[in-house]
Amino acid sequence: MKCIACRTLVGAEGRFHPAGIVDGMRLCFAISSFGQGGAQKQCVALMNALAIDPDIEVQLIYFQEGENFAALRQDRIRAVRLSGGSVYDLRNIFRMAKRLRELRPDVICSWLHGSDVLAALSTLLLGATGQHVPWVMTERDSHYPPNWRYRLRRRLARRARRILCNSEAGRRYWLANGIEAAPLHVVPNINLAAGLTANSAGTSQREVVFAGRLEPQKNVRQLAQAFVLAAQSSPARFRILGDGSEREAVSEIVGQTGGVGRVELEGHQPDILPLYQRDPVYVTLSRHEGTPNAVIENISLGNLIVASRIDEHVALLGPEYPFYVAPDAAPSDVDRVIGMALTVEDRSCLAYAQAKVAALTAPAVAACYKRHFMEVAG
């Protein structure tokens, strides 16, 4: 089987190797925590896939466990937890450097922003002592606020041997910020719903769902207004699942606009795939993304999606997909498109998208990452 992203062959799973026994590459991941979020789920899925490769010893440096930590194949990964408060505590540079000196990885791969900064500075510190650990950075988004943390990250990114982006938009972000094209590569997300099938037997009522972080990037205030409006004329069940800084604002919108009892505001649901298997209409009005897990998963299960027309969604769903809305569409426009999606039985409009996500299995995507790590390790 060929991986679309890197055109590398995917081999057999391989056998378990105890940490420290393998003669191949020692690969260390660095992440602040495994809390809520699609990026954390992707990190777990990738590490699990690489951990069964006989050529790789997977190592991990982290600060907090979080709810996705339990899904990690801890018996196959050499994990080290660092103590400390904020990820940006300067003492963590020395803590991480000390652990890297002990682990002696051939490559370190940082995942998410705080760990990017720590990996860059700790490898710089190690290099001054004669131990060189090449650093690979990952990019999970395509837009950031103008504060000092992201300015520091942009400056340090010039030290990365490669930046592996999960979207073309992420690659363009780094090109626009002065990184040359050579170290920039796009490797897609793993389809976490691969192999699952739809099963609508558990519900007699159609559902309209958003599940994700309740943050400004996700445009959830506009989404809440649209759900309240749509629920006034539709018998469908409308559900918003997630937590975040916008939760209180979303709750107020639902309460003040007559949505109480019509729109259900629920917390984060760790195991969301059974809900997606019940044939909901999934709605996402994000202003920007990396590669959205929820969209990939709903495509894989054959669910119709109402999506903001941003590059990251068009890359998955195709330019001719019929259920787009403008990123800041009026609630009435979103209501209209939701109504259209609820009445459509034919799913042929998903053919383009399903062909794209079918190849994004964990072994295939892990093979793409492995190729990059092996090349950086030399």
Side-chain angles (χ1 to χ4, degrees):
M1 180 173 62
K2 290 288 188 78
C3 172
I4 289 174
C6 294
R7 300 294 193 268
T8 54
L9 291 173
V10 180
E13 281 197 342
R15 62 189 181 280
F16 168 57
H17 47 80
I21 302 300
V22 68
D23 293 325
M25 176 176 59
R26 292 187 298 272
L27 171 62
C28 184
F29 282 83
I31 187 171
S32 56
S33 78
F34 291 93
Q36 296 180 20
Q40 289 85 343
K41 287 184 177 181
Q42 285 292 318
C43 188
V44 168
L46 176 60
M47 290 180 65
N48 286 346
L50 291 170
I52 56 176
D53 189 308
D55 298 326
I56 302 175
E57 175 191 319
V58 177
Q59 306 168 343
L60 169 66
I61 296 175
Y62 71 103
F63 288 86
Q64 300 293 331
E65 293 184 356
E67 57 197 69
N68 286 305
F69 186 78
L72 201 64
R73 302 179 79 151
Q74 298 167 45
D75 60 327
R76 297 177 179 265
I77 295 167
R78 186 176 179 182
V80 176
R81 181 172 180 173
L82 296 184
S83 60
S86 168
V87 174
Y88 289 90
D89 183 336
L90 292 177
R91 290 172 293 181
N92 288 328
I93 301 168
F94 301 94
R95 293 179 179 125
M96 183 174 284
K98 178 182 178 182
R99 292 303 190 178
L100 289 175
R101 190 176 293 111
E102 296 167 354
L103 293 169
R104 302 191 67 82
D106 297 299
V107 178
I108 181 171
C109 174
S110 59
W111 204 273
L112 297 177
H113 321 134
S115 59
D116 293 337
V117 171
L118 281 182
L121 295 175
S122 61
T123 54
L124 183 63
L125 181 62
L126 275 181
T129 67
Q131 181 179 343
H132 299 282
V133 180
W135 168 44
V136 173
M137 190 173 85
T138 57
E139 180 52 73
R140 316 301 304 170
D141 204 341
S142 58
H143 178 83
Y144 296 100
N147 66 41
W148 69 270
R149 290 181 175 88
Y150 299 110
R151 287 195 294 270
L152 176 60
R153 180 175 181 254
R154 286 196 296 270
R155 289 183 64 86
L156 291 171
R158 300 175 186 277
R159 297 196 66 253
R161 292 285 294 277
R162 291 198 183 177
I163 301 177
L164 302 181
C165 311
N166 71 343
S167 70
E168 182 61 32
R171 181 178 176 274
R172 291 197 301 269
Y173 168 82
W174 285 109
L175 286 171
N177 280 283
I179 300 296
E180 295 182 359
L184 296 172
H185 300 268
V186 177
V187 183
N189 278 359
I190 294 169
N191 176 9
L192 301 176
L196 297 180
T197 57
N199 177 14
S200 60
T203 180
S204 59
Q205 182 184 27
R206 196 72 186 278
E207 295 180 329
V208 180
V209 170
F210 167 81
R213 292 178 293 115
L214 302 185
E215 299 294 342
Q217 166 194 345
K218 304 292 186 179
N219 205 9
V220 288
R221 298 190 189 200
Q222 200 86 345
L223 180 136
Q225 293 172 5
F227 272 26
V228 170
L229 185 60
Q232 293 174 359
S233 57
S234 172
R237 182 183 180 189
F238 288 79
R239 303 175 70 183
I240 299 174
L241 298 95
D243 292 307
S245 63
E246 293 279 80
R247 182 175 179 83
E248 184 175 344
V250 169
S251 179
E252 288 181 1
I253 289 169
V254 171
Q256 293 174 0
T257 56
V260 176
R262 300 172 184 264
V263 177
E264 301 170 37
L265 181 57
E266 307 168 51
H268 172 71
Q269 187 166 323
D271 187 12
I272 198 69
L273 292 177
L275 187 155
Y276 294 161
Q277 289 180 280
R278 302 206 309 243
D279 190 31
V281 170
Y282 186 80
V283 182
T284 170
L285 304 183
S286 292
R287 296 186 174 96
H288 56 87
E289 287 281 359
T291 296
N293 287 333
V295 174
I296 290 176
E297 292 155 8
N298 279 280
I299 290 169
S300 183
L301 291 166
N303 299 332
L304 292 177
I305 300 160
V306 174
S308 52
R309 193 179 184 103
I310 58 175
D311 290 347
E312 299 89 330
H313 290 155
V314 174
L316 286 170
L317 293 162
E320 305 303 322
Y321 184 71
F323 301 115
Y324 287 125
V325 295
D328 287 303
S332 57
D333 292 334
V334 181
D335 169 28
R336 176 179 55 81
V337 179
I338 290 173
M340 291 167 53
L342 282 168
T343 61
V344 169
E345 296 296 331
D346 180 15
R347 307 298 168 91
S348 60
C349 62
L350 289 170
Y352 174 96
Q354 289 184 314
K356 291 203 71 170
V357 306
L360 304 184
T361 64
V365 174
C368 295
Y369 276 96
K370 177 182 176 180
R371 178 178 74 85
H372 287 292
F373 295 143
M374 295 289 278
E375 289 177 359
V376 168

